[in-house]
Structures are given as structure tokens and as C-alpha cells.
């Protein structure tokens, strides 16, 4: 649940500046995979932003993710600009995000 707070908090500030937060959950258990359950959970939790489901772990593997949770800030040219392994560090991630917005 704490990971949900980061995109919710940042989305209103960055919405007009270009980047988009798109969480990509990789389901740990089989019952987390059905799209209808993910949609229901997003509605129940009031998640207003897009969520891309990665049932095949394609994104996980592409960026060689090995630990959960891992948060990446990825440039639109597919360049990883920041990686955070583990929960917390939200102020640091927000500072990096602001720095990247200033570079635009």
C-alpha cells in the first residue's frame, strides 16, 4: 500500500509537465493476474492513473529487476534514470523526478 502513495502524490504535480506514472505490477500469486480483479482493485482503492499489468514479467525482465519492490524512473527513450530497491525513499525519488523535469 505504501507504494501506491508515491504516484498518487506526484501525479497532480507532474501531469502537465510531461512524465506519466504507470505502475506495472508483476503478480506474485495466480489470483492477482486476472484483468477484471486488477480493475476492481484499482476502482476500490481509488487509483485514478493508468496501471499496466505485467503478467509475463516482460518489464521485470527487460530492466533486469531482481528485487521487490523496485521502482524505476525511465526516460521516454527507455533509459533508466533512477532506481530504488525497497520501500521508502519517496522524498529522494521526488527530488530526482523534479530534477528530471527541470531538464526538459
Amino acid at each position: 500500500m505504501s507504494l501506491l502513495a508515491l504516484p498518487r502524490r506526484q501525479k497532480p504535480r507532474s501531469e502537465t509537465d510531461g512524465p506519466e506514472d504507470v505502475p506495472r505490477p508483476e503478480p506474485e500469486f495466480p489470483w492477482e493476474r486476472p484483468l477484471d480483479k486488477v480493475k476492481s482493485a484499482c476502482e476500490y482503492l481509488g487509483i485514478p492513473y493508468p496501471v499496466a499489468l505485467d503478467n509475463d514479467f516482460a518489464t521485470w525482465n527487460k530492466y533486469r529487476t531482481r528485487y521487490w519492490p523496485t521502482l524505476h524512473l525511465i526516460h521516454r527513450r527507455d533509459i533508466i534514470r533512477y532506481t530504488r530497491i525497497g520501500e521508502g525513499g519517496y522524498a529522494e525519488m521526488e527530488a530526482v523526478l523534479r530534477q528530471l523535469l527541470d531538464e526538459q
Side-chain angles (χ1 to χ4, degrees), residues 15-44:
E15 194 168 70
T16 59
D17 296 324
E20 186 170 358
D21 300 311
V22 182
R24 285 182 175 79
E26 287 80 15
E28 183 177 0
F29 303 105
W31 60 83
E32 297 173 329
R33 294 174 185 255
L35 181 59
D36 60 327
K37 288 191 176 195
V38 174
K39 285 181 178 181
S40 294
C42 289
E43 288 176 17
Y44 177 77

Side-chain angles (χ1 to χ4, degrees), residues 83-104:
T83 297
R84 167 75 185 186
I85 297 171
E87 294 187 28
Y90 303 119
E92 178 185 358
M93 182 175 246
E94 186 165 336
V96 172
L97 179 58
R98 289 184 181 282
Q99 176 187 353
L100 295 175
L101 287 172
D102 289 343
E103 291 177 10
Q104 288 191 15

Side-chain angles (χ1 to χ4, degrees), residues 49-66:
Y49 46 81
V51 174
L53 189 57
D54 190 8
N55 281 336
D56 298 324
F57 288 72
T59 304
W60 177 279
N61 292 325
K62 178 178 182 172
Y63 297 110
R64 298 185 177 144
T65 305
R66 298 293 175 255

